[in-house]
Every structure is written in structure tokens, then in C-alpha cells.
Amino acid sequence: MVQIPVRSKIALTGGSDFWQSTAVAEAGLPRVILTDGPHGVRLQTGSTDHIGLAESEPATCFPPAVGLSSTWNRELAREVGRALGEEARSLKVGVLLGPGANIKRDPRCGRNFEYFSEDPYLTGELAAAYVEGVQSQGVGTSLKHFAANNQETDRMRRDSQVDERPLREIYLRGFSKVVRQAQPWTVMCSYNKLNGVQVSENRWLLTDVLRGEWGFEGLVVSDWGAVWDRTEALKAGLDLEMPAHAGHEAEVVTALEAGRIDEQTIDVAYQRIERVLRRAAETVADAPQGFDEQGHHELARRAAEQAIVLLSNDGALPLDPSTKVAVVGEFARTPRYQGAGSSRVNPTRLDNALDAINQIVGHEVPFAPGFTTAPGQVLEGDPVAEAVAVAREAELVLVFLGLGEEHESEGYDRQDIDLPAEQLELLDRVLEVNQQVVVVLSNGSSVAIPFAHRVRAVVEGWLLGQAGGPALADVLYGRVNPSGRLSETIPLQITDVPAYLNFPGDETGVRYGEGLFVGYRGYDALQREVAFPFGHGLSYTSFDYSEVAATAEGDQVVVEVSVTNTGERAGREVVQVYAAKLVSEVVRVPRELVGFEVVELEPGASQRVRVTVGQDELAFWSVLDQVWAVEPGEYRFEVGASSRDLRGNATVELAGTMPRRELTLMSTLNQAMAVPAFAEEGGPLVKQAFGGEEDGGPLGTDTLRMLGDIPLMALAGLAGRSAADFQQLLDRANQA
Ligand code: BGC
């Protein structure tokens, strides 16, 4: 075997330029390109930057995660991943920098468009499928931004202060699923601090949890510029700094000479990088040129069709092609189809909704832009008056509203969730002359929809990628039956968001004060009204749910329900299963998503749908025992069409996996009495000391209620006993 000089090994722990790793001549390892990601390949052709400014090679722009996640379609996410892998390969890209698995903690996060959901289960399921798809083509992925990077404000310095349970159960859970199920070749560490420690130097996160607990086998790469001290980062478990900071390599050499890092640590990082990048290099070495542009465009369209969420509809949709419509709003002609920043793709083609509508109806419909989407541009004439004029003559007006790139982007957060005032004003003016209005939205994260009850239908178009325009037209005209479901709650107003008061923090950090109560978990616990709940989405047909059943089978719970298409069109229904533990020793959310399945049914058709829930989905993180544990007892499984449209439920009794806890003198009387071996002798002892009624059991329930929370140590004192009396009982109970 060739001996690689340690200097070459250290060199490999930093990139050679903005997008490439360093070659190791002695090992025959060429440079490998790692580039964005996630919803298209952004291979820059000239100057380089990571904020999406410079030009890049044409590639298919698929719906960003905000759209892809609304499909709730694992197979589709896998298919999009495969296509991305093919494109990356043909462009000689070895690692595609995505998917982003951060939780949408607050709709103001400027980068929510790149993330899947406010829910870790949905995030994990779809991100894992995406990773499997990309990697099936021999191209690596980079699961990012690990972890607790849920805002853009001060993202390189801010300390995310998250308690253990929400950190484990909400913010890390999706990442863990992806790592265990799909083994991404790389994980990208985020910029921020986590509970006081810079993530790139966070050994607990990058080594103990990621590798130790989850079994991650790949390499950890930094977010671009996230390493302050490469020596400390390597010691914590980071492998590759991208791009390499001038001077960092020399610092590692000095640290090695001074004994501040050992050679073995460098060897480990070197081997991990070498293994992953060699696979990538082999793929690109014999990659075919070009990819199926047309086929991928069609796939992007199919994904967009399923991503569109019909929020409300009083029957105005689907439209008949003979209806005299007018179209208002620049987004119909100039689509907002992807987010701004490092993920920006140069699409192979871009189709808009206006052309597609014209094609469906067979002529050019009257159109008025109403506003401009070009920052700084001033339209000539009176755009609002022109819009009102076309609206007045129409039988129905399609109004395309949304957020421009200046409103939401990587790099900064929104201040509110409102649509631009000029667009709301435009809508008001249109409604003054014509009440037959359907609104179509384009936005990367939730916006307030105060006009929902004043218009006939609202179509949420998110960001749909390069083929979103025709997909929208197909939904409007019923060529496609909408089936997207919300992967994030749409609140009535920003002040309702559970994280509202704790976002985005200040220079002392951002406290995740809402704990477990993120998104629908919080709205439900607070019984807060929302505009449209998590999981919601209408169809042009209707589905009936009946006969819900749940049974424990080994380490799974199988939930079954019969679903019938009771309408007149074929349709796709996303059957959602939420679990709840109603009686618990620990804080619980009212319900959480633990499974979903998609069914496609012809009119009148019925299907028994089976949703398998792994018991690990029911586990909570026990802070006391430092393990995942399933509490024993009854679990309720609610089945429905959204988190607030629950059509039935069933309960299951589970033995659980709680670790046995030894009783100590600091255990409470309640805890001790729950152990029969203690209750038998301890009950009479306490009763004798404190008196109490005779109502069943060795100790009366009223007495127990009064004394139950007192630790045995204190109880002994109060009863005039010595602690040793109880200790003997405890020893016997612990041994029983
Ligand atoms: C982003 C990453 C991206 C990287 C490279 C960073 O600013 O946070 O998501 O992959 O740049 O462009």
C-alpha cells in the first residue's frame, strides 16, 4: 500500500477551490465537485459564489422542498432524486448538496422553501426517499444543515438554545431517520451554535450522536465557511472544510507538530473523505454525457401537479374552458418558481401559467400584470386601473399573487407573513368590480390569507419549479385533480405562531421556548384557530373514511381504514395517521404524525388502507434515563384527511420499552407505590404512620393523593421514622 504523507492527508481535509475537493496524487484520487442542490444542479460556469448570483449550467429546476413535500409522495421524491442524480452525474458533479432537513419552526425563516415541513416524520420520510434516489445514481448527497439551523438571521453566529426533548424529538428526528434509512454519503454541519457550542466543533452532535448513536458512515462536510478552527473541528468529527479557509491547513500542521491533534484523528478524516470521494470520482469518470431534458421536464411537471394544494373552493373550480376568464397578476406570466440563494438553478426551460391557460381555452385571455415582480421597476400607466378594466369584463378573474425574491430568500428572514400591500390593494380593487375571483399563490413559505372568505377559491402554488405554470393551469381547469396536502400550517396571523415570541432571538441566542410545541403540535395544544391546518388540501372529489382499526404486531402498530371515493372523479387521497399518548408521565403534544399512505381511487372505488407505524415513532426521549422510551399503556391513533379533519380513531395497549428505574429515597411515594413489591409492605407502613380511609388497596386513595408527591426521604422524617427503615424496603423492592 502506498504511504500517503500526512501533509497530503491534511490537505484533503480542505477543498482546493470553491466547489472542489483536493486531489491526492499519491492515492490517485482526483478532485471531486460538490455543488448545490437541492432541487436542481447548480454547476457554476464562470465566477463562483454560494449565494446564487453567478451563472450556472442549465439543469432541470424541480419543485423546491416546499413543493415536493406537499406531494406527500415518497415514490415521487425518490424519482426526482434519481433524475437529479442523473443530471449531477452527467455534469460531473460527485456530491449534490441537499436535501435540507431543517424543521420549519417559524414561517418567517427565509429559507423555509428549501425545507420540507414543520413535522419531523414527514421531513424524514421524504428526505430519505430523495437521498435514496440521488445515490442510486452513484452520486452523493449532503444532508443539511445539521442541526438546529432554523432561521437565517445571524445564522453564522447565533446560538440555538434547545432543550433535550425538542432537540431530539423535533429537530434531530428527521435527520436521524434519513441517516439510518438512507445513509447519505455526506452530512453538512450548519453554521450556528447549538447550546453554546459552534456546530462545526460540536463533538456531541457530529460524533456521539451522528456516528455513535445513528451509525453514520459517511463524511461530515462544513457548510460553506462554517469552520473557524479546523483543528478543533477535526477533533469534534468534522472531516472536510469547504471551501478551505486560507491558513487553516497550515494551522493543522502546526497543531500536529505541537501535539494538539494526533495523527490518528487526521487519518480517520482522511479515510472517510477518501472512501466517499473515490466512489463519486468513479461515477463521474464514466458518466454519460447529457440527460433526458424532456423527460425530466415532464417529471418536474408531474411533481408540480401533485404539489399544488387546493386550500378552499366553493365550487368555482374546476373551470370550464368556455368560461370567460381574465388573468391578473405578473406571476401568471413571470412565474416565481424557486427560491433565492445558493439553491438557485438555471432552468433548462421555463413554462408559465398564462401561456398554458391560453392553450387550454384556445385563445389569448385578457391579461393585466397589476404589479411588477422586478425589484425597483416602475410600470408605466396605471397597472391597477388596467387590471380592474380586464376584471370588469370577465365572468371570472384568476388573480396570481405571491412573494417576490426580495421578500424571502436565503440569508435573511421575513419580518411578517403578509403579502405585499400593493397586491392586497389590487385584489380589493378587483373584488370591487367582480366578485368571481380565484386566487393563485406563489410563495416559499406560509403567507396570511385574510381574503380567503372573500374569494371563491384559493390555490396554493408554493414554488413549483420550471414546469409549475402548466401544472397550475391543469389544476384550474380540472385536467389534474388536485391532491397536494399542507406540509406546514397556514396560520391566521404571525402572532399566532407558537415560536412567535422566540424568533429570531438576539445576540444572546435564540431560545426555542415553545419546546415540543412546534407547528400543529403547538396550535393544537393552544387550541388556536388557524387559516388552514397541517395536512389540509381539497380535491375535486370526496373521500369517505370508515372502520378504523389498530393492532399491535411485534414492534409495529398496524392502523387500517377503509377509504372510498364518493365523488365523481378519480382522485388521490393522503391518509394520515396521528398518535397520542393521553396519560403520560411526561409532557405530551396532543397529536403527532406517525404514518401516512397515499391511495388513488376511481369514483365509487374503495380500498382498505394499511398504515404501519414503527413503535420507535411512539418513543419519547427520556431526559432522566438518556434513552428513547415507549411508555406503557394506551395509545390513540387518529386517522384523517388533515390534522384537524380526523375521521376516526382506535386505541392500542402497548407494553412499552421504559427502562426499569431503581427506587431510591428520592423516589416519591407515588413512584414507589407503583411497584407492587414496595406497595405490599410500604403501604401499611405509611398508613400506620399517617392514618387514612380504608377504600381499597393497602393505602387509601385520598391519603395517597395528599402524600403521593413526597419523596420517601422526607416522608420518613415526617412519619418519625429513619431513612434506613425505608431503605430496607427499597432494597427488597429493587431486588424483587
Ligand atoms: C448554504 C448551503 C450551500 C452552500 C454552498 C451555504 O451558504 O447554507 O446550503 O450548500 O452555501 O452553496
Side-chain angles (χ1 to χ4, degrees):
M1 234 175 84
V2 197
Q3 278 296 319
I4 312 295
V6 71
R7 289 296 298 259
S8 302
K9 291 181 182 171
I10 294 174
L12 187 65
T13 65
S16 66
D17 65 20
F18 211 82
W19 299 118
Q20 296 190 87
S21 64
T22 300
V24 186
E26 302 90 331
L29 182 72
R31 307 201 299 180
V32 171
I33 301 173
L34 304 89
T35 197
D36 293 300
H39 58 271
V41 183
R42 186 169 70 102
L43 182 64
Q44 293 195 317
T45 41
S47 58
T48 50
D49 71 273
H50 66 301
I51 46 176
L53 300 177
E55 265 311 305
S56 56
E57 289 286 347
T60 311
C61 179
F62 291 97
V66 62
L68 194 59
S69 62
S70 308
T71 69
W72 292 56
N73 189 334
R74 302 175 180 95
E75 197 32 58
L76 190 58
R78 192 169 291 117
E79 233 182 298
V80 167
R82 267 198 298 271
L84 286 166
E86 265 171 47
E87 294 194 18
R89 203 175 57 186
S90 79
L91 290 166
K92 307 247 175 254
V93 169
V95 177
L96 190 64
L97 303 177
N102 298 93
I103 292 294
K104 302 187 201 215
R105 176 176 173 246
D106 187 299
R108 287 169 291 182
C109 171
R111 219 171 170 184
N112 275 358
F113 69 87
E114 235 179 297
Y115 301 142
F116 289 89
S117 178
E118 66 191 27
D119 179 85
Y121 178 80
L122 184 58
T123 297
E125 289 290 304
L126 297 176
Y130 168 106
V131 168
E132 285 167 357
V134 175
Q135 295 189 169
S136 71
Q137 302 308 303
V139 170
T141 54
S142 197
L143 181 65
K144 65 189 187 183
H145 308 88
F146 188 62
N149 173 193
N150 307 91
Q151 65 187 52
E152 292 299 283
T153 305
D154 203 11
R155 67 172 161 158
M156 297 188 105
R157 300 184 306 173
R158 194 141 300 182
D159 182 21
S160 298
Q161 298 160 359
V162 202
D163 289 343
E164 258 184 87
R165 276 194 64 201
L167 180 59
R168 295 278 192 165
E169 294 180 33
I170 306 284
Y171 297 99
L172 298 184
R173 207 169 193 153
F175 283 101
S176 146
K177 186 185 278 284
V178 181
V179 168
R180 290 168 199 264
Q181 181 182 322
Q183 278 293 347
W185 292 9
T186 85
V187 164
M188 184 190 290
C189 83
S190 56
Y191 288 124
N192 52 293
K193 289 198 185 84
L194 171 59
N195 291 330
V197 184
Q198 200 70 41
V199 166
S200 58
E201 297 174 22
N202 195 319
R203 190 177 164 82
W204 173 80
L205 186 70
L206 303 184
T207 297
D208 300 350
V209 172
L210 179 63
R211 298 187 189 277
E213 292 181 26
W214 303 349
F216 176 61
E217 292 163 6
L219 74 86
V220 176
V221 60
S222 70
D223 198 345
W224 265 230
V227 174
W228 307 133
D229 181 333
R230 199 192 296 173
T231 306
E232 289 310 311
L234 287 168
K235 281 156 71 177
L238 180 111
D239 303 299
L240 174 59
E241 178 187 9
M242 285 301 293
H245 204 285
H248 277 183
E249 188 180 323
E251 283 171 23
V252 179
V253 174
T254 311
L256 180 67
E257 284 160 4
R260 278 184 284 110
I261 186 169
D262 53 38
E263 198 168 335
Q264 204 206 335
T265 306
I266 293 163
D267 274 346
V268 168
Y270 173 82
Q271 281 157 14
R272 289 179 187 143
I273 305 172
E274 211 253 2
R275 195 176 56 236
V276 168
L277 296 189
R278 192 173 292 286
R279 274 156 91 184
E282 279 164 11
T283 300
V284 298
D286 55 21
Q289 285 269 314
F291 55 89
D292 177 8
E293 278 189 28
Q294 181 58 29
H296 289 189
H297 183 77
E298 280 160 22
L299 174 59
R301 179 163 172 170
R302 206 148 38 85
E305 286 168 358
Q306 294 193 14
I308 296 163
V309 183
L310 180 59
L311 293 177
S312 63
N313 179 24
D314 71 358
L317 296 180
L319 296 169
D320 190 295
S322 65
T323 304
K324 231 176 95 189
V325 301
V327 175
V328 166
E330 182 61 50
F331 290 117
R333 179 171 63 181
T334 311
R336 172 96 201 290
Y337 63 102
Q338 64 174 328
S342 62
S343 66
R344 188 204 299 273
V345 177
N346 175 17
T348 57
R349 169 176 156 183
L350 181 58
D351 295 344
N352 68 42
L354 185 59
D355 289 346
I357 291 169
N358 288 338
Q359 213 181 16
I360 290 174
V361 301
H363 59 84
E364 275 195 21
V365 301
F367 168 73
F371 54 87
T372 172
T373 55
Q377 191 194 38
V378 180
L379 292 181
E380 282 176 18
D382 184 344
V384 176
E386 284 164 27
V388 169
V390 299
R392 186 180 276 124
E393 300 302 316
E395 283 171 17
L396 186 137
V397 197
L398 294 169
V399 182
F400 283 71
L401 305 177
L403 296 177
E405 288 205 346
E406 69 279 25
H407 298 113
E408 56 183 358
S409 169
E410 175 179 347
Y412 53 89
D413 296 317
R414 283 188 289 166
Q415 301 299 312
D416 54 47
I417 56 165
D418 300 331
L419 284 169
E422 52 157 5
Q423 292 186 30
L424 293 172
E425 165 77 16
L426 171 73
L427 179 64
D428 281 344
R429 298 284 303 279
V430 166
L431 280 165
E432 277 167 19
V433 299
N434 193 335
Q435 278 80 58
Q436 305 305 309
V437 168
V438 169
V439 170
V440 180
L441 294 171
S442 301
N443 44 295
S445 186
S446 293
V447 292
I449 312 180
F451 47 82
H453 59 285
R454 292 163 59 211
V455 299
R456 298 204 56 196
V458 181
V459 177
E460 178 54 89
W462 299 123
L463 305 180
L464 294 172
Q466 67 181 49
L472 279 168
D474 282 351
V475 163
L476 292 169
Y477 283 89
R479 293 178 166 200
V480 165
N481 190 354
S483 63
R485 297 290 181 268
L486 292 181
S487 53
E488 63 190 274
T489 308
I490 301 183
L492 285 169
Q493 55 207 355
I494 186 59
T495 47
D496 291 342
V497 175
Y500 177 69
L501 290 175
N502 288 295
F503 183 97
D506 58 24
E507 75 265 22
T508 64
V510 49
R511 171 100 200 107
Y512 285 37
E514 70 288 358
L516 296 169
F517 298 93
V518 181
Y520 68 92
R521 290 167 168 79
Y523 297 108
D524 284 1
L526 295 161
Q527 298 187 2
R528 224 164 246 173
E529 210 184 310
V530 300
F532 298 100
F534 177 81
H536 169 79
L538 302 176
S539 163
Y540 295 147
T541 187
S542 50
F543 296 93
D544 181 66
Y545 287 61
S546 62
E547 295 161 59
V548 175
T551 26
E553 285 182 16
D555 59 358
Q556 295 182 330
V557 174
V558 177
V559 181
E560 286 179 291
V561 60
S562 298
V563 180
T564 308
N565 182 344
T566 50
E568 271 142 37
R569 283 166 181 263
R572 185 179 160 267
E573 176 73 340
V574 180
V575 178
Q576 302 161 36
V577 175
Y578 297 86
K581 180 87 179 79
L582 301 179
V583 180
S584 173
E585 291 291 312
V586 295
V587 170
R588 292 285 185 170
V589 299
R591 63 183 52 79
E592 42 196 345
L593 184 74
V594 291
F596 65 87
E597 285 306 329
V598 177
V599 270
E600 296 198 27
L601 293 173
E602 292 296 320
S606 202
Q607 195 179 314
R608 190 87 181 136
V609 180
R610 201 180 139 95
V611 183
T612 324
V613 180
Q615 274 204 35
D616 49 348
E617 302 298 347
L618 307 172
F620 77 102
W621 175 257
S622 166
V623 175
L624 289 186
D625 296 305
Q626 292 291 298
V627 289
W628 287 98
V630 177
E631 274 187 298
E634 199 172 81
Y635 286 77
R636 184 182 66 193
F637 294 88
E638 296 173 305
V639 181
S642 90
S643 60
R644 291 205 175 170
D645 183 5
L646 301 161
R647 310 284 185 85
N649 67 73
T651 55
V652 167
E653 187 81 21
L654 296 176
T657 60
M658 281 301 283
R660 188 187 145 114
R661 283 185 193 149
E662 296 267 289
L663 291 175
T664 69
L665 285 168
M666 285 314 286
S667 303
T668 63
L669 181 61
N670 272 336
Q671 288 170 334
M673 289 298 290
V675 178
F678 176 92
E680 218 172 285
E681 286 185 76
L685 194 89
V686 175
K687 197 154 119 189
Q688 193 190 17
F690 292 92
E693 1 85 273
E694 296 297 330
D695 60 344
L699 190 62
T701 45
D702 277 356
T703 316
L704 196 54
R705 193 177 309 135
M706 294 272 295
L707 304 179
D709 273 350
I710 301 181
L712 297 178
M713 174 82 99
L715 204 68
L718 294 172
R721 299 275 184 157
S722 76
D725 288 350
F726 275 117
Q727 188 59 55
Q728 283 168 10
L729 287 183
L730 293 178
D731 290 345
R732 281 199 288 278
N734 284 335
Q735 274 155 24

